[in-house]
Amino acid sequence: MAERRGRLRRAAWAACLGLCGVALALLAVVLVRAYVPRPPPGPRLWGRRAALGFDLSARDRQELKEALRGAIKIQTVSFSPEDQNTTALAEFGNYIKKVFPAVFSTTFIQHEIIGGYSHLFTVQGSDPQLMPYMLLAHMDVVPASQEGWHVPPFSAKELDGFIYGRGTVDNKNSAIGILQALEFLLRRDYRPHRSFYIGIGHDEEVSGLKGAMKIAALLEARGVKLSFLLDEGSVILDGFLEGIKKPVAVIAITEKGAITANFSVEKEQGHSSAPPKETSIGILAAALSRLEQNPMPNLFGHGPEMMILEHLASEFRFPINLIMTNLWLFSPIISRIFEQKPSTNALIRTTTAITMFNAGIKSNVIPPSAKATVNFRIHPSQKVEEVLEIVKNTIADDRVKIHLQEAFDPLPISPWDNLGVQIFQRTLLDVFPNVSSVAPGICIGNTDSRHFTNLTDAIYRFNPLVFKPDDLPRVHGLNERISVEGYEKQVEFLYQLIQNSDINKLPEPHAKSQEL
Protein backbone atom coordinates (compact mmCIF):
# COMPACT_ATOMS: atom_id res chain seq x y z
CA MET A 1 0.00 0.00 0.00
CA ALA A 2 2.77 2.39 0.98
CA GLU A 3 4.65 1.43 -2.16
CA ARG A 4 1.57 2.27 -4.26
CA ARG A 5 1.17 5.65 -2.54
CA GLY A 6 4.84 6.31 -3.27
CA ARG A 7 4.38 5.58 -6.95
CA LEU A 8 1.34 7.87 -7.09
CA ARG A 9 3.27 10.63 -5.32
CA ARG A 10 6.15 10.32 -7.77
CA ALA A 11 3.77 10.33 -10.71
CA ALA A 12 2.05 13.45 -9.36
CA TRP A 13 5.41 15.18 -8.94
CA ALA A 14 6.39 14.19 -12.45
CA ALA A 15 3.10 15.55 -13.81
CA CYS A 16 3.57 18.81 -11.89
CA LEU A 17 7.12 19.16 -13.17
CA GLY A 18 5.90 18.46 -16.69
CA LEU A 19 3.21 21.12 -16.43
CA CYS A 20 5.72 23.59 -14.98
CA GLY A 21 8.03 22.80 -17.87
CA VAL A 22 5.28 23.44 -20.40
CA ALA A 23 4.34 26.69 -18.62
CA LEU A 24 7.96 27.85 -18.58
CA ALA A 25 8.40 26.94 -22.23
CA LEU A 26 5.20 28.83 -23.10
CA LEU A 27 6.40 31.85 -21.09
CA ALA A 28 9.75 31.72 -22.86
CA VAL A 29 8.05 31.72 -26.27
CA VAL A 30 5.83 34.65 -25.25
CA LEU A 31 8.83 36.66 -23.99
CA VAL A 32 11.01 35.86 -26.98
CA ARG A 33 8.27 36.90 -29.40
CA ALA A 34 7.72 40.09 -27.42
CA TYR A 35 11.31 41.22 -26.99
CA VAL A 36 13.34 39.76 -29.87
CA PRO A 37 13.08 42.50 -32.53
CA ARG A 38 11.27 41.40 -35.68
CA PRO A 39 10.16 44.70 -37.24
CA PRO A 40 8.15 44.54 -40.44
CA PRO A 41 9.95 45.69 -43.58
CA GLY A 42 10.33 49.45 -43.68
CA PRO A 43 10.55 51.63 -46.76
CA ARG A 44 13.42 50.99 -49.11
CA LEU A 45 15.13 54.34 -48.83
CA TRP A 46 16.64 55.83 -51.93
CA GLY A 47 19.28 58.51 -52.00
CA ARG A 48 17.36 61.12 -53.97
CA ARG A 49 15.36 63.46 -51.80
CA ALA A 50 12.56 65.51 -53.29
CA ALA A 51 14.28 68.00 -55.58
CA LEU A 52 11.84 70.79 -54.71
CA GLY A 53 11.41 71.52 -51.02
CA PHE A 54 8.08 72.56 -49.56
CA ASP A 55 9.04 76.08 -48.57
CA LEU A 56 5.94 78.25 -48.29
CA SER A 57 5.85 81.99 -47.98
CA ALA A 58 3.23 83.72 -45.88
CA ARG A 59 1.41 84.50 -49.11
CA ASP A 60 1.49 80.81 -50.14
CA ARG A 61 0.06 79.77 -46.79
CA GLN A 62 -2.75 82.27 -47.04
CA GLU A 63 -3.51 81.17 -50.60
CA LEU A 64 -3.53 77.51 -49.57
CA LYS A 65 -5.95 78.15 -46.73
CA GLU A 66 -8.29 80.38 -48.71
CA ALA A 67 -8.46 77.92 -51.62
CA LEU A 68 -9.88 75.27 -49.29
CA ARG A 69 -12.21 77.71 -47.53
CA GLY A 70 -13.64 78.85 -50.86
CA ALA A 71 -14.36 75.26 -51.86
CA ILE A 72 -16.07 74.48 -48.56
CA LYS A 73 -18.49 77.36 -49.11
CA ILE A 74 -19.80 75.72 -52.31
CA GLN A 75 -22.69 73.49 -51.19
CA THR A 76 -22.03 70.41 -53.32
CA VAL A 77 -24.52 68.28 -51.39
CA SER A 78 -25.57 64.80 -52.49
CA PHE A 79 -28.94 63.70 -51.08
CA SER A 80 -29.43 60.74 -53.43
CA PRO A 81 -28.29 59.68 -56.91
CA GLU A 82 -31.24 61.60 -58.33
CA ASP A 83 -31.01 64.56 -55.97
CA GLN A 84 -27.78 66.52 -56.12
CA ASN A 85 -27.04 70.24 -56.07
CA THR A 86 -25.94 70.36 -59.70
CA THR A 87 -25.67 74.15 -59.66
CA ALA A 88 -23.05 73.88 -56.93
CA LEU A 89 -21.26 71.03 -58.72
CA ALA A 90 -20.90 73.21 -61.81
CA GLU A 91 -19.78 76.11 -59.65
CA PHE A 92 -17.06 73.92 -58.13
CA GLY A 93 -15.71 73.23 -61.63
CA ASN A 94 -15.52 76.94 -62.41
CA TYR A 95 -13.93 77.58 -59.01
CA ILE A 96 -10.99 75.22 -59.46
CA LYS A 97 -10.26 76.72 -62.90
CA LYS A 98 -9.97 80.13 -61.29
CA VAL A 99 -7.95 79.04 -58.24
CA PHE A 100 -5.45 76.74 -60.01
CA PRO A 101 -4.50 78.53 -63.25
CA ALA A 102 -1.21 76.65 -63.75
CA VAL A 103 -2.97 73.28 -63.59
CA PHE A 104 -5.42 74.31 -66.31
CA SER A 105 -2.92 76.07 -68.58
CA THR A 106 0.00 73.61 -68.58
CA THR A 107 0.46 71.92 -71.94
CA PHE A 108 1.29 68.46 -70.57
CA ILE A 109 -1.90 68.33 -68.49
CA GLN A 110 -5.18 67.33 -70.14
CA HIS A 111 -8.45 68.13 -68.37
CA GLU A 112 -11.76 66.40 -69.09
CA ILE A 113 -15.21 66.66 -67.56
CA ILE A 114 -16.79 63.24 -67.07
CA GLY A 115 -20.44 62.48 -66.31
CA GLY A 116 -21.34 66.15 -66.44
CA TYR A 117 -19.49 67.27 -63.32
CA SER A 118 -16.56 64.97 -62.42
CA HIS A 119 -13.01 65.92 -63.40
CA LEU A 120 -10.22 63.83 -64.89
CA PHE A 121 -6.72 65.24 -65.22
CA THR A 122 -4.05 63.41 -67.21
CA VAL A 123 -0.59 64.63 -66.20
CA GLN A 124 1.82 63.44 -68.88
CA GLY A 125 5.23 62.52 -67.46
CA SER A 126 8.52 62.78 -69.33
CA ASP A 127 9.18 59.01 -69.21
CA PRO A 128 6.42 57.04 -70.99
CA GLN A 129 8.03 53.75 -69.92
CA LEU A 130 6.96 54.26 -66.31
CA MET A 131 3.53 52.87 -65.42
CA PRO A 132 1.22 55.69 -64.28
CA TYR A 133 -0.59 55.98 -60.97
CA MET A 134 -3.74 57.78 -59.85
CA LEU A 135 -4.82 60.14 -57.08
CA LEU A 136 -8.55 60.07 -56.34
CA ALA A 137 -10.86 62.36 -54.37
CA HIS A 138 -14.43 63.67 -54.47
CA MET A 139 -16.10 67.05 -54.26
CA ASP A 140 -19.60 66.11 -53.07
CA VAL A 141 -20.58 66.09 -49.40
CA VAL A 142 -23.36 64.72 -47.22
CA PRO A 143 -26.10 67.08 -46.02
CA ALA A 144 -25.55 69.26 -42.97
CA SER A 145 -28.11 71.37 -41.13
CA GLN A 146 -27.29 74.32 -38.89
CA GLU A 147 -28.54 72.62 -35.71
CA GLY A 148 -25.75 71.46 -33.41
CA TRP A 149 -22.89 73.16 -35.26
CA HIS A 150 -20.67 75.78 -33.62
CA VAL A 151 -20.70 77.72 -36.90
CA PRO A 152 -22.78 77.44 -40.09
CA PRO A 153 -21.66 74.21 -41.82
CA PHE A 154 -20.87 75.91 -45.13
CA SER A 155 -19.32 79.05 -43.71
CA ALA A 156 -15.73 77.68 -43.71
CA LYS A 157 -15.15 79.83 -40.64
CA GLU A 158 -11.71 79.70 -39.06
CA LEU A 159 -11.87 79.21 -35.30
CA ASP A 160 -8.93 78.52 -32.96
CA GLY A 161 -6.72 77.29 -35.77
CA PHE A 162 -9.40 75.08 -37.38
CA ILE A 163 -11.47 75.53 -40.52
CA TYR A 164 -15.02 74.31 -39.84
CA GLY A 165 -17.36 73.06 -42.54
CA ARG A 166 -18.87 70.10 -44.31
CA GLY A 167 -16.22 68.58 -46.56
CA THR A 168 -13.16 69.74 -44.64
CA VAL A 169 -12.08 66.12 -44.10
CA ASP A 170 -14.52 64.28 -46.37
CA ASN A 171 -13.27 65.03 -48.91
CA LYS A 172 -12.70 68.47 -50.38
CA ASN A 173 -9.45 68.62 -48.44
CA SER A 174 -8.10 65.91 -50.77
CA ALA A 175 -9.69 67.29 -53.95
CA ILE A 176 -8.32 70.79 -53.35
CA GLY A 177 -5.13 69.54 -51.70
CA ILE A 178 -4.08 67.45 -54.73
CA LEU A 179 -4.61 70.36 -57.11
CA GLN A 180 -2.88 72.77 -54.71
CA ALA A 181 0.20 70.54 -54.46
CA LEU A 182 0.37 70.24 -58.25
CA GLU A 183 -0.12 74.01 -58.66
CA PHE A 184 2.83 74.73 -56.35
CA LEU A 185 5.02 72.23 -58.23
CA LEU A 186 4.13 73.66 -61.63
CA ARG A 187 5.04 77.16 -60.47
CA ARG A 188 8.49 75.78 -59.68
CA ASP A 189 8.82 74.50 -63.29
CA TYR A 190 8.33 70.89 -62.25
CA ARG A 191 7.38 68.16 -64.69
CA PRO A 192 7.01 64.61 -63.40
CA HIS A 193 8.92 61.66 -64.84
CA ARG A 194 6.00 59.30 -64.14
CA SER A 195 2.60 60.12 -65.63
CA PHE A 196 -0.36 60.18 -63.30
CA TYR A 197 -4.09 60.80 -63.25
CA ILE A 198 -6.18 62.90 -60.91
CA GLY A 199 -9.84 61.95 -60.55
CA ILE A 200 -12.31 64.15 -58.68
CA GLY A 201 -15.74 62.55 -58.48
CA HIS A 202 -19.02 64.37 -57.98
CA ASP A 203 -21.24 61.63 -56.50
CA GLU A 204 -19.10 59.48 -54.19
CA GLU A 205 -21.52 59.98 -51.29
CA VAL A 206 -24.26 58.32 -53.37
CA SER A 207 -22.17 55.44 -54.80
CA GLY A 208 -20.17 57.17 -57.54
CA LEU A 209 -22.05 55.62 -60.43
CA LYS A 210 -22.09 58.76 -62.59
CA GLY A 211 -18.65 60.05 -61.67
CA ALA A 212 -15.90 57.65 -60.59
CA MET A 213 -17.46 54.66 -62.33
CA LYS A 214 -17.49 56.54 -65.65
CA ILE A 215 -13.92 57.76 -65.14
CA ALA A 216 -12.81 54.18 -64.52
CA ALA A 217 -14.69 52.91 -67.57
CA LEU A 218 -13.12 55.59 -69.77
CA LEU A 219 -9.59 54.79 -68.61
CA GLU A 220 -10.21 51.06 -69.05
CA ALA A 221 -11.46 51.66 -72.60
CA ARG A 222 -8.22 53.52 -73.29
CA GLY A 223 -6.22 50.53 -72.09
CA VAL A 224 -4.84 52.27 -69.01
CA LYS A 225 -3.20 50.18 -66.30
CA LEU A 226 -2.12 51.77 -63.02
CA SER A 227 0.86 50.94 -60.82
CA PHE A 228 -1.21 52.03 -57.81
CA LEU A 229 -4.18 54.18 -56.82
CA LEU A 230 -4.54 56.34 -53.72
CA ASP A 231 -7.96 57.42 -52.45
CA GLU A 232 -9.39 58.67 -49.16
CA GLY A 233 -9.84 56.23 -46.28
CA SER A 234 -7.70 55.63 -43.22
CA VAL A 235 -5.66 58.28 -41.41
CA ILE A 236 -2.82 58.79 -38.95
CA LEU A 237 -4.15 57.68 -35.55
CA ASP A 238 -3.02 59.55 -32.46
CA GLY A 239 -4.31 58.31 -29.11
CA PHE A 240 -6.60 55.62 -30.53
CA LEU A 241 -4.57 52.61 -29.47
CA GLU A 242 -4.04 51.92 -25.78
CA GLY A 243 -0.38 51.33 -25.09
CA ILE A 244 1.05 53.25 -28.08
CA LYS A 245 2.27 56.78 -27.39
CA LYS A 246 3.25 57.95 -30.86
CA PRO A 247 0.96 58.40 -33.88
CA VAL A 248 0.66 55.47 -36.29
CA ALA A 249 -0.34 55.64 -39.94
CA VAL A 250 -2.88 53.09 -41.13
CA ILE A 251 -3.21 52.58 -44.88
CA ALA A 252 -6.29 50.57 -45.81
CA ILE A 253 -5.57 47.72 -48.21
CA THR A 254 -9.22 46.75 -48.61
CA GLU A 255 -12.67 48.05 -47.79
CA LYS A 256 -15.74 46.31 -46.54
CA GLY A 257 -18.57 45.31 -48.83
CA ALA A 258 -22.07 46.61 -48.29
CA ILE A 259 -25.73 45.70 -48.49
CA THR A 260 -28.52 48.24 -48.32
CA ALA A 261 -31.75 46.29 -47.95
CA ASN A 262 -35.40 47.32 -47.62
CA PHE A 263 -37.50 45.21 -45.23
CA SER A 264 -41.29 45.31 -45.44
CA VAL A 265 -44.39 43.70 -43.94
CA GLU A 266 -47.84 43.94 -45.53
CA LYS A 267 -51.01 43.42 -43.42
CA GLU A 268 -54.67 44.19 -43.83
CA GLN A 269 -55.66 47.70 -42.81
CA GLY A 270 -58.22 48.05 -40.05
CA HIS A 271 -59.51 50.09 -37.11
CA SER A 272 -57.42 50.34 -33.95
CA SER A 273 -60.47 49.48 -31.79
CA ALA A 274 -60.27 45.85 -32.92
CA PRO A 275 -56.55 45.22 -33.49
CA PRO A 276 -55.10 41.92 -34.68
CA LYS A 277 -52.69 39.97 -32.50
CA GLU A 278 -49.76 41.41 -34.46
CA THR A 279 -49.58 44.51 -36.62
CA SER A 280 -47.19 45.12 -39.48
CA ILE A 281 -45.21 47.44 -37.20
CA GLY A 282 -44.95 44.82 -34.46
CA ILE A 283 -43.88 42.06 -36.87
CA LEU A 284 -41.20 44.18 -38.51
CA ALA A 285 -39.97 45.66 -35.22
CA ALA A 286 -39.56 42.16 -33.77
CA ALA A 287 -37.63 41.02 -36.84
CA LEU A 288 -35.29 44.00 -36.68
CA SER A 289 -34.81 43.50 -32.97
CA ARG A 290 -33.65 39.94 -33.65
CA LEU A 291 -31.07 41.32 -36.07
CA GLU A 292 -29.75 43.71 -33.45
CA GLN A 293 -29.77 41.18 -30.64
CA ASN A 294 -27.97 38.56 -32.75
CA PRO A 295 -24.97 40.27 -34.37
CA MET A 296 -23.05 38.70 -37.22
CA PRO A 297 -20.27 36.29 -36.19
CA ASN A 298 -16.98 37.56 -34.78
CA LEU A 299 -14.45 36.96 -37.58
CA PHE A 300 -11.28 38.21 -35.90
CA GLY A 301 -8.34 36.43 -37.52
CA HIS A 302 -10.21 35.56 -40.71
CA GLY A 303 -9.38 38.82 -42.51
CA PRO A 304 -6.61 41.43 -42.69
CA GLU A 305 -7.50 42.93 -39.29
CA MET A 306 -4.73 40.81 -37.75
CA MET A 307 -2.14 42.55 -39.92
CA ILE A 308 -2.47 45.92 -38.22
CA LEU A 309 -1.76 44.39 -34.82
CA GLU A 310 1.14 42.32 -36.14
CA HIS A 311 2.75 45.41 -37.69
CA LEU A 312 2.25 47.52 -34.57
CA ALA A 313 3.00 44.82 -31.98
CA SER A 314 6.47 46.09 -31.10
CA GLU A 315 5.13 49.62 -30.51
CA PHE A 316 2.92 48.62 -27.56
CA ARG A 317 4.08 49.10 -23.98
CA PHE A 318 4.25 46.31 -21.40
CA PRO A 319 2.15 44.28 -20.75
CA ILE A 320 0.09 44.85 -23.90
CA ASN A 321 3.12 44.06 -26.05
CA LEU A 322 3.12 40.50 -24.65
CA ILE A 323 -0.43 40.03 -25.94
CA MET A 324 0.01 41.72 -29.31
CA THR A 325 3.18 39.81 -30.20
CA ASN A 326 1.51 36.52 -29.32
CA LEU A 327 -1.82 36.67 -31.13
CA TRP A 328 -1.54 32.93 -31.78
CA LEU A 329 -2.22 32.54 -28.05
CA PHE A 330 -4.25 35.60 -27.08
CA SER A 331 -6.44 36.22 -30.15
CA PRO A 332 -9.64 35.04 -28.37
CA ILE A 333 -9.07 37.73 -25.73
CA ILE A 334 -8.35 40.44 -28.30
CA SER A 335 -11.42 39.54 -30.31
CA ARG A 336 -13.62 39.97 -27.23
CA ILE A 337 -11.99 43.31 -26.40
CA PHE A 338 -12.56 44.54 -29.96
CA GLU A 339 -16.28 43.81 -29.62
CA GLN A 340 -16.64 46.40 -26.85
CA LYS A 341 -16.22 49.55 -28.99
CA PRO A 342 -18.14 50.33 -32.19
CA SER A 343 -14.97 51.53 -33.97
CA THR A 344 -13.08 48.26 -33.37
CA ASN A 345 -16.16 46.02 -33.51
CA ALA A 346 -16.56 47.18 -37.12
CA LEU A 347 -13.16 45.65 -37.94
CA ILE A 348 -14.02 42.12 -36.85
CA ARG A 349 -17.52 41.46 -38.16
CA THR A 350 -20.20 42.41 -40.61
CA THR A 351 -22.11 45.23 -38.93
CA THR A 352 -25.86 45.79 -38.93
CA ALA A 353 -27.34 49.30 -38.80
CA ILE A 354 -31.09 50.00 -38.92
CA THR A 355 -31.14 53.42 -40.53
CA MET A 356 -34.77 54.09 -41.55
CA PHE A 357 -38.24 52.99 -40.33
CA ASN A 358 -41.54 54.10 -41.82
CA ALA A 359 -45.05 53.02 -40.82
CA GLY A 360 -48.47 54.28 -39.83
CA ILE A 361 -50.94 56.67 -41.42
CA LYS A 362 -53.17 57.73 -38.51
CA SER A 363 -53.34 57.20 -34.76
CA ASN A 364 -56.51 55.07 -34.92
CA VAL A 365 -55.73 53.07 -38.07
CA ILE A 366 -54.02 49.68 -38.16
CA PRO A 367 -51.23 50.33 -40.69
CA PRO A 368 -51.35 48.32 -43.90
CA SER A 369 -47.57 48.17 -44.13
CA ALA A 370 -44.31 48.83 -42.31
CA LYS A 371 -40.98 49.45 -44.02
CA ALA A 372 -37.39 49.76 -42.84
CA THR A 373 -33.95 50.13 -44.37
CA VAL A 374 -30.93 48.29 -42.98
CA ASN A 375 -27.31 48.87 -43.93
CA PHE A 376 -24.81 46.02 -43.56
CA ARG A 377 -21.05 46.52 -43.93
CA ILE A 378 -19.53 43.20 -44.92
CA HIS A 379 -16.36 41.82 -43.33
CA PRO A 380 -13.62 41.02 -45.90
CA SER A 381 -13.95 37.27 -45.27
CA GLN A 382 -17.66 37.16 -46.15
CA LYS A 383 -19.75 37.58 -49.30
CA VAL A 384 -23.17 39.10 -49.96
CA GLU A 385 -24.87 35.70 -50.31
CA GLU A 386 -23.54 34.46 -46.97
CA VAL A 387 -24.70 37.56 -45.13
CA LEU A 388 -28.18 37.41 -46.66
CA GLU A 389 -28.52 33.77 -45.63
CA ILE A 390 -27.64 34.68 -42.03
CA VAL A 391 -30.15 37.55 -42.11
CA LYS A 392 -32.97 35.31 -43.34
CA ASN A 393 -32.21 32.65 -40.74
CA THR A 394 -32.06 35.24 -37.96
CA ILE A 395 -35.37 36.86 -38.88
CA ALA A 396 -37.01 33.46 -39.45
CA ASP A 397 -40.29 35.01 -40.54
CA ASP A 398 -41.56 34.66 -44.10
CA ARG A 399 -43.92 37.60 -43.60
CA VAL A 400 -40.91 39.92 -43.69
CA LYS A 401 -39.93 40.59 -47.29
CA ILE A 402 -36.40 41.66 -48.22
CA HIS A 403 -35.59 43.74 -51.29
CA LEU A 404 -31.99 44.63 -52.11
CA GLN A 405 -31.39 48.27 -52.90
CA GLU A 406 -27.62 47.85 -53.35
CA ALA A 407 -25.16 45.03 -52.66
CA PHE A 408 -21.50 44.38 -53.40
CA ASP A 409 -18.78 42.17 -51.97
CA PRO A 410 -15.73 43.42 -50.06
CA LEU A 411 -12.87 44.69 -52.22
CA PRO A 412 -9.83 42.51 -52.97
CA ILE A 413 -6.87 42.85 -50.60
CA SER A 414 -4.08 44.94 -52.14
CA PRO A 415 -0.44 43.86 -51.85
CA TRP A 416 1.62 45.39 -49.05
CA ASP A 417 5.02 45.22 -50.75
CA ASN A 418 3.95 47.37 -53.68
CA LEU A 419 5.70 50.36 -55.23
CA GLY A 420 2.90 52.58 -53.94
CA VAL A 421 3.26 51.40 -50.34
CA GLN A 422 7.00 52.03 -50.44
CA ILE A 423 6.39 55.53 -51.79
CA PHE A 424 3.75 56.23 -49.12
CA GLN A 425 6.14 55.11 -46.39
CA ARG A 426 8.98 57.17 -47.85
CA THR A 427 6.72 60.24 -48.00
CA LEU A 428 5.42 59.73 -44.47
CA LEU A 429 9.02 59.64 -43.29
CA ASP A 430 9.66 62.92 -45.12
CA VAL A 431 6.59 64.77 -43.84
CA PHE A 432 5.57 63.11 -40.54
CA PRO A 433 8.83 62.09 -38.83
CA ASN A 434 7.03 61.57 -35.50
CA VAL A 435 4.89 58.74 -36.96
CA SER A 436 6.30 55.60 -35.36
CA SER A 437 4.86 52.92 -37.67
CA VAL A 438 2.90 52.32 -40.84
CA ALA A 439 0.44 49.43 -40.88
CA PRO A 440 -2.10 47.94 -43.30
CA GLY A 441 -5.74 48.19 -42.31
CA ILE A 442 -9.38 47.94 -43.37
CA CYS A 443 -11.54 50.82 -44.56
CA ILE A 444 -14.89 50.25 -42.87
CA GLY A 445 -16.64 52.71 -45.18
CA ASN A 446 -16.77 52.69 -48.97
CA THR A 447 -14.94 54.90 -51.43
CA ASP A 448 -14.86 55.65 -55.14
CA SER A 449 -11.78 53.43 -55.42
CA ARG A 450 -14.00 50.33 -55.61
CA HIS A 451 -14.79 51.19 -59.23
CA PHE A 452 -11.14 50.89 -60.32
CA THR A 453 -10.38 47.22 -59.65
CA ASN A 454 -10.04 46.50 -63.39
CA LEU A 455 -7.22 49.04 -63.66
CA THR A 456 -4.98 47.86 -60.79
CA ASP A 457 -4.78 45.38 -57.94
CA ALA A 458 -2.93 47.97 -55.83
CA ILE A 459 -5.65 50.22 -54.39
CA TYR A 460 -4.91 52.09 -51.16
CA ARG A 461 -7.06 54.31 -48.99
CA PHE A 462 -5.28 56.90 -46.89
CA ASN A 463 -5.86 60.53 -45.96
CA PRO A 464 -2.64 62.08 -44.58
CA LEU A 465 -4.32 63.72 -41.59
CA VAL A 466 -3.65 63.19 -37.90
CA PHE A 467 -6.87 62.12 -36.16
CA LYS A 468 -7.46 62.12 -32.43
CA PRO A 469 -10.37 60.11 -30.96
CA ASP A 470 -12.72 63.12 -30.92
CA ASP A 471 -12.17 63.73 -34.63
CA LEU A 472 -13.78 60.51 -35.84
CA PRO A 473 -17.43 61.39 -34.96
CA ARG A 474 -17.07 64.65 -36.92
CA VAL A 475 -16.91 62.75 -40.24
CA HIS A 476 -20.51 62.92 -41.56
CA GLY A 477 -21.32 64.39 -38.12
CA LEU A 478 -21.42 67.73 -36.35
CA ASN A 479 -18.63 70.28 -36.46
CA GLU A 480 -16.51 68.64 -39.13
CA ARG A 481 -13.21 70.49 -39.20
CA ILE A 482 -9.56 70.47 -40.24
CA SER A 483 -6.69 72.28 -38.60
CA VAL A 484 -4.89 74.80 -40.78
CA GLU A 485 -1.58 73.18 -39.83
CA GLY A 486 -2.97 69.73 -40.61
CA TYR A 487 -4.13 70.83 -44.05
CA GLU A 488 -0.71 72.32 -44.83
CA LYS A 489 0.80 68.96 -43.88
CA GLN A 490 -1.62 67.16 -46.20
CA VAL A 491 -0.64 69.40 -49.12
CA GLU A 492 3.03 68.88 -48.27
CA PHE A 493 2.50 65.10 -48.26
CA LEU A 494 0.92 65.23 -51.73
CA TYR A 495 3.64 67.61 -52.97
CA GLN A 496 6.36 65.19 -51.87
CA LEU A 497 4.41 62.10 -52.98
CA ILE A 498 4.24 63.31 -56.57
CA GLN A 499 8.01 63.84 -56.59
CA ASN A 500 8.78 60.57 -54.77
CA SER A 501 6.70 58.71 -57.36
CA ASP A 502 9.24 59.66 -60.04
CA ILE A 503 11.54 56.85 -58.94
CA ASN A 504 11.80 54.24 -61.71
CA LYS A 505 12.97 51.34 -59.59
CA LEU A 506 13.08 50.66 -55.87
CA PRO A 507 16.49 49.85 -54.40
CA GLU A 508 17.07 46.39 -52.99
CA PRO A 509 16.14 45.97 -49.31
CA HIS A 510 19.07 46.78 -47.03
CA ALA A 511 19.49 45.51 -43.50
CA LYS A 512 20.55 48.94 -42.26
CA SER A 513 17.68 50.84 -43.84
CA GLN A 514 15.81 53.02 -41.41
CA GLU A 515 12.61 51.40 -40.27
CA LEU A 516 9.39 53.34 -40.14
Side-chain angles (χ1 to χ4, degrees):
M1 192 72 173
E3 183 180 347
R4 184 184 176 190
R5 283 199 297 268
R7 284 199 304 268
L8 290 174
R9 190 179 296 112
R10 286 191 296 272
W13 273 106
C16 286
L17 288 173
L19 288 173
C20 288
V22 170
L24 288 172
L26 190 62
L27 178 60
V29 171
V30 168
L31 292 174
V32 166
R33 290 180 62 88
Y35 292 107
V36 173
R38 295 187 322 280
R44 302 178 197 172
L45 305 188
W46 51 92
R48 172 190 169 277
R49 299 281 294 181
L52 299 173
F54 192 72
D55 302 315
L56 297 184
S57 66
R59 182 177 178 179
D60 289 335
R61 286 192 159 85
Q62 185 67 18
E63 175 191 326
L64 179 150
K65 179 176 68 174
E66 292 305 320
L68 178 61
R69 292 186 67 232
I72 299 302
K73 293 176 182 178
I74 303 172
Q75 299 185 31
T76 53
V77 178
S78 290
F79 295 96
S80 72
E82 295 75 33
D83 187 5
Q84 290 188 272
N85 187 343
T86 55
T87 300
L89 294 174
E91 182 184 350
F92 185 91
N94 294 329
Y95 176 77
I96 58 176
K97 287 181 183 178
K98 180 180 72 174
V99 175
F100 303 115
V103 172
F104 282 87
S105 62
T106 298
T107 56
F108 58 80
I109 298 178
Q110 177 188 3
H111 170 247
E112 300 170 88
I113 296 177
I114 310 297
Y117 304 100
S118 289
H119 299 268
L120 173 63
F121 299 86
T122 302
V123 184
Q124 191 64 50
S126 59
D127 187 349
Q129 300 304 312
L130 298 178
M131 184 179 287
Y133 64 97
M134 187 167 196
L135 303 175
L136 203 58
H138 65 91
M139 72 179 85
D140 65 318
V141 300
V142 296
S145 62
Q146 173 67 50
E147 187 178 356
W149 282 70
H150 298 328
V151 300
F154 294 100
S155 65
K157 185 173 181 179
E158 187 177 350
L159 193 63
D160 299 325
F162 290 88
I163 299 171
Y164 282 78
R166 179 62 83 225
T168 48
V169 294
D170 185 17
N171 176 243
K172 286 180 180 174
N173 58 310
S174 293
I176 299 298
I178 293 167
L179 296 177
Q180 186 72 72
L182 182 57
E183 180 80 9
F184 282 156
L185 284 167
L186 294 172
R187 291 182 195 173
R188 291 160 171 80
D189 297 322
Y190 171 80
R191 181 175 183 179
H193 298 317
R194 185 185 298 273
S195 299
F196 65 97
Y197 298 91
I198 299 171
I200 301 177
H202 74 273
D203 61 343
E204 189 272 351
E205 298 293 358
V206 288
S207 296
L209 303 182
K210 300 175 184 176
M213 179 179 278
K214 289 189 175 182
I215 292 175
L218 176 63
L219 293 178
E220 185 178 4
R222 292 174 178 173
V224 172
K225 291 293 183 183
L226 302 172
S227 56
F228 65 88
L229 181 148
L230 180 64
D231 196 4
E232 63 172 331
S234 299
V235 293
I236 299 171
L237 303 176
D238 186 6
F240 278 81
L241 300 172
E242 184 70 29
I244 295 183
K245 286 185 177 180
K246 292 184 178 181
V248 296
V250 178
I251 299 174
I253 57 174
T254 184
E255 61 185 58
K256 299 179 82 173
I259 299 172
T260 300
N262 296 324
F263 292 71
S264 62
V265 174
E266 304 290 336
K267 291 279 285 183
E268 187 176 345
Q269 184 174 322
H271 198 283
S272 63
S273 60
K277 184 178 179 181
E278 293 179 290
T279 66
S280 58
I281 293 176
I283 294 168
L284 184 56
L288 297 178
S289 178
R290 287 194 289 276
L291 284 180
E292 286 193 325
Q293 297 302 315
N294 297 277
M296 294 285 170
N298 185 327
L299 295 171
F300 182 78
H302 294 271
E305 65 277 351
M306 291 274 281
M307 294 175 67
I308 183 173
L309 299 181
E310 291 170 346
H311 276 74
L312 299 178
S314 61
E315 298 292 330
F316 286 93
R317 297 191 302 269
F318 178 84
I320 301 176
N321 64 327
L322 297 180
I323 297 173
M324 296 303 179
T325 51
N326 290 277
L327 294 175
W328 61 277
L329 181 62
F330 296 112
S331 59
I333 297 173
I334 297 298
S335 68
R336 294 293 174 255
I337 293 173
F338 269 43
E339 287 183 319
Q340 305 308 309
K341 290 184 178 181
S343 58
T344 50
N345 182 59
L347 297 175
I348 62 172
R349 61 162 38 94
T350 295
T351 54
T352 303
I354 302 167
T355 55
M356 299 175 69
F357 198 111
N358 297 290
I361 54 176
K362 198 172 182 292
S363 62
N364 63 347
V365 175
I366 301 299
S369 66
K371 299 177 182 180
T373 301
V374 183
N375 185 252
F376 303 90
R377 297 301 172 110
I378 305 172
H379 186 271
S381 67
Q382 290 186 304
K383 300 289 186 182
V384 169
E385 293 79 4
E386 181 183 350
V387 171
L388 289 175
E389 188 65 26
I390 294 173
V391 168
K392 291 174 184 176
N393 291 338
T394 302
I395 290 176
D397 191 336
D398 292 337
R399 295 173 297 179
V400 179
K401 305 303 179 185
I402 304 174
H403 173 72
L404 295 188
Q405 184 175 320
E406 182 182 37
F408 54 89
D409 289 327
L411 274 290
I413 296 174
S414 299
W416 188 241
D417 190 24
N418 173 270
L419 170 71
V421 174
Q422 296 292 328
I423 292 171
F424 305 152
Q425 290 179 318
R426 166 76 267 183
T427 308
L428 280 162
L429 195 64
D430 290 340
V431 181
F432 297 95
N434 63 327
V435 169
S436 62
S437 290
V438 181
I442 302 171
C443 185
I444 60 176
N446 294 118
T447 69
D448 271 342
S449 68
R450 66 189 177 93
H451 300 298
F452 291 80
T453 53
N454 287 342
L455 277 68
T456 180
D457 65 351
I459 296 176
Y460 304 96
R461 304 147 188 91
F462 177 67
N463 217 347
L465 296 173
V466 178
F467 262 41
K468 295 184 179 297
D470 67 337
D471 290 319
L472 197 57
R474 299 178 189 273
V475 182
H476 284 203
L478 299 176
N479 298 307
E480 184 180 345
R481 69 183 187 180
I482 190 170
S483 73
V484 174
E485 180 183 2
Y487 180 58
E488 284 186 10
K489 279 290 188 183
Q490 177 173 15
V491 174
E492 182 182 358
F493 177 90
L494 295 162
Y495 180 96
Q496 303 290 18
L497 173 69
I498 293 170
Q499 294 186 83
N500 286 338
S501 298
D502 280 342
I503 189 169
N504 59 7
K505 184 180 179 182
L506 290 172
E508 292 300 317
H510 194 280
K512 294 183 179 180
S513 291
Q514 181 179 352
E515 299 292 348
L516 186 64

